[in-house]
Amino acid sequence: MMLATRVFRLVGNRTLSTSICLRGGHGVAKVEDYTLPAYFDRRESPLPDIKFVQQLSPEQKSLKEKEKGSWAALSKEEKIALYRISFKESFAEMDKGTGEWKSVVAGIFFFIGFTGLVVLWQRKYVYGDVPHTFDAEYKQKEVQRMLDMRINPVEGFSAKWDYENNAWKK
Amino acid sequence: MKSTMSLVKPAMRGLLAKRLRFHLPIAFGLALVAAVAFKFTVTEPRKQAYADFYKHYDSMKEFSAMREAGVFESVRPTGK
């Protein structure tokens, strides 16, 4: 809002009266906040378009006056105060991690756990029985048939069976 | 804040070439090591296993055993 009034003053009173008032007071559009230059802390553009603090307090105003003189006269605290007027966070502060990853990992684990519960419920209430081919006797006959057919006799399945003693190799 | 001595100019060119000079021999070496390791841990033992299996392999004996077990459709066990 302050910048908008400054714009009017720059335009000049005469042109103000001729342009706006003649058009019934609806000449210049209201300046929205988001259209003005913004301040942001970003590593890749280190000097933002505007200073961080726009409305200076009286102490800050007097400090700005002092800044116009010799900088050697400024104390360390005053220099830091001047920095904080122009910038919000230092590079170290803006680069600092947020620890957000902990929340993310926690959320991941939580939802994996929840999914586990959903799967268990599904197993109990949604799925029907497995086929009869999973019965123990059927599986036994399956293994016997595979051994009879000599499935993978060199390095794989039947290679682990001792045909002389009819048992798995130790 | 700058002292009277100026900073050395950083390297502006040949950055990829420098990186490749360092990393390509390492890459080729690691690939070679991986191939050699695979050869001597997988392919050579496998070749030996097959050689050992077929050294004393009696195909007729195996065939008879399979026939008696009843897995063939062209020949039934000798009992029937």
Side-chain angles (χ1 to χ4, degrees), chain A residues 65-74:
Chain A
E65 289 301 317
K66 194 174 173 195
E67 194 191 11
K68 291 177 185 168
S70 165
W71 286 348
L74 295 169

Side-chain angles (χ1 to χ4, degrees), chain A residues 105-119:
Chain A
V105 169
I108 289 172
F109 287 151
F110 176 78
F111 280 109
I112 289 177
F114 180 72
T115 307
L117 289 176
V118 169
V119 167

Side-chain angles (χ1 to χ4, degrees), chain A residues 1 4 8 25-36:
Chain A
M1 267 317 290
F8 289 161
H26 301 295
V28 179
K30 176 170 164 287
V31 181
E32 299 286 343
D33 268 337
Y34 59 79
T35 60
L36 299 168

Side-chain angles (χ1 to χ4, degrees), chain A residues 51 56 60-68 85:
Chain A
K51 295 199 183 324
L56 296 173
Q60 287 172 323
K61 284 205 182 90
S62 63
L63 193 58
K64 277 289 186 188
E65 289 301 317
K66 194 174 173 195
E67 194 191 11
K68 291 177 185 168
I85 290 173

Side-chain angles (χ1 to χ4, degrees), chain A residues 132-144:
Chain A
H132 69 101
T133 53
F134 283 85
D135 297 340
E137 309 85 47
Y138 193 96
K139 278 294 177 219
Q140 201 170 337
K141 290 187 207 161
E142 230 177 51
V143 168
Q144 184 58 54

Side-chain angles (χ1 to χ4, degrees), chain B residues 11-78:
Chain B
M12 306 291 264
R13 293 159 183 268
L15 298 166
L16 179 63
K18 182 173 163 213
R19 180 185 168 80
L20 287 179
R21 241 179 82 85
F22 179 72
H23 282 92
L24 268 181
I26 294 176
F28 273 93
L30 283 180
L32 197 68
V33 164
V36 167
F38 189 81
K39 181 182 174 67
F40 287 111
T41 55
V42 178
T43 59
E44 287 306 315
R46 187 169 289 164
K47 282 176 9 188
Q48 192 58 41
Y50 273 78
D52 294 339
F53 180 79
Y54 283 110
K55 199 186 314 175
H56 302 294
Y57 183 65
D58 186 357
S59 55
M60 285 316 296
K61 175 162 158 268
E62 293 293 316
F63 167 72
S64 310
M66 283 196 257
R67 179 186 180 172
E68 297 310 318
V71 295
F72 291 128
E73 290 180 6
S74 49
V75 282
R76 299 311 304 162
T78 47

Side-chain angles (χ1 to χ4, degrees), chain A residues 6-26:
Chain A
R6 217 184 282 157
V7 165
F8 289 161
R9 222 171 288 133
L10 283 167
V11 165
N13 287 329
R14 192 182 310 170
T15 45
L16 188 69
S17 59
T18 48
S19 64
I20 297 179
C21 294
L22 278 179
R23 276 185 263 167
H26 301 295

